[in-house]
Amino acid sequence: MLVIESHHIHTRSRLIPGATSTILPGWLNLTRVCKRWRIEALACTSLWSRLTTIMHLNMMKEFLRRSQDAPLTIITDRYLVRADLAERLRFCFSSAILDRTKDLCVSFGALDSQPQTYLRILSRPMPCLEKFVYRQNTLPENPLPGEPLQESAGLPSNLFAGSAPRLRQFTIEGAFNLPCFPHLFEHLQLFRLTSASGNRSFAPPSFSKLF
């Protein structure tokens, strides 16, 4: 219990000195307090269930191994993007990961040079998903040539193949548009929508069409 309580308090990540591309969760310090705490931390699968693309791929694989069968939190982070981002994204968007994902946070600007490759993968059932956040406002510096930004950043019309039975929270930040997903919204407890800064043309659909 000590480890879990501390985990909720100390969650700030830090850089490894001399290796600016590697992120360590702040709670890893708990494993160095004493032998007992290390044993408890290594045995607590929920501590290892949060994967983010700012981690090295080997670290992500080790977290996945230690998480065992715990539900996963997946975050595509646009900060500290490195040359092997595509490899990290393929790992996070694999079926083995998504089948276990409980919380999914996707930033458009963190999907490398071919964002639609990864957005199309979301046209699959998500049996364990409870919370989905799409940060459409984190746009790449160079939009795809010849393609309107609003279209290249849009979610697939068949999001989650219409099947996410546990989905309770749905958030889109900086929206340019919003396809309607009535089957996904049936059991929502929270729906949050914010439009992109300066986008005066955005008109959210009526609630009758959304729900």
Side-chain angles (χ1 to χ4, degrees):
M1 182 62 70
L2 281 174
V3 173
I4 295 176
E5 289 177 351
S6 297
H7 166 55
H8 287 295
I9 296 171
H10 303 291
T11 57
R12 180 174 297 177
S13 299
R14 64 181 179 84
L15 292 171
I16 293 179
T20 56
S21 64
T22 303
I23 292 293
L24 285 179
W27 60 260
L28 275 178
N29 289 326
L30 297 173
T31 63
R32 302 182 179 94
V33 173
C34 64
K35 182 178 180 181
R36 176 193 168 195
W37 280 37
R38 178 175 178 80
I39 292 173
E40 293 292 337
L42 292 176
C44 184
T45 57
S46 62
L47 287 176
W48 308 95
S49 63
R50 185 177 185 270
L51 306 179
T52 172
T53 53
I54 57 177
M55 293 176 169
H56 275 315
L57 182 59
N58 287 339
M59 179 182 291
M60 295 167 66
K61 290 180 178 179
E62 182 62 17
F63 269 53
L64 181 66
R65 184 185 68 82
R66 293 183 178 182
S67 71
Q68 298 182 30
D69 59 352
L72 300 176
T73 294
I74 305 299
I75 300 173
T76 67
D77 200 309
R78 67 188 302 247
Y79 302 105
L80 294 175
V81 172
R82 300 301 174 191
D84 63 344
L85 175 61
E87 194 173 5
R88 303 182 201 190
L89 287 170
R90 284 195 296 270
F91 179 79
C92 286
F93 281 82
S94 65
S95 295
I97 298 293
L98 294 179
D99 283 343
R100 289 176 49 192
T101 298
K102 177 182 177 182
D103 297 336
L104 177 62
C105 179
V106 177
S107 296
F108 180 81
L111 297 180
D112 207 16
S113 59
Q114 296 181 323
Q116 281 299 324
T117 299
Y118 303 102
L119 292 177
R120 282 194 294 268
I121 295 175
L122 299 181
S123 300
R124 67 183 303 283
M126 296 287 286
C128 296
L129 187 66
E130 296 182 9
K131 179 181 178 180
F132 177 62
V133 177
Y134 181 45
R135 292 176 175 154
Q136 195 172 22
N137 56 337
T138 53
L139 301 173
E141 295 180 0
N142 300 309
L144 300 180
E147 186 171 6
L149 189 57
Q150 292 91 328
E151 295 182 11
S152 65
L155 290 168
S157 58
N158 58 338
L159 183 67
F160 309 145
S163 178
R166 299 184 183 181
L167 185 63
R168 297 297 181 266
Q169 298 184 34
F170 191 103
T171 299
I172 294 186
E173 299 177 3
F176 285 92
N177 49 38
L178 178 65
C180 297
F181 310 113
H183 297 296
L184 296 178
F185 293 164
E186 289 180 353
H187 304 292
L188 285 187
Q189 297 175 350
L190 174 65
F191 176 76
R192 182 184 292 115
L193 174 66
T194 62
S195 61
S197 176
N199 181 22
R200 299 180 179 179
S201 62
F202 175 77
S206 65
F207 284 103
S208 62
K209 292 182 178 180
L210 280 176
F211 304 101

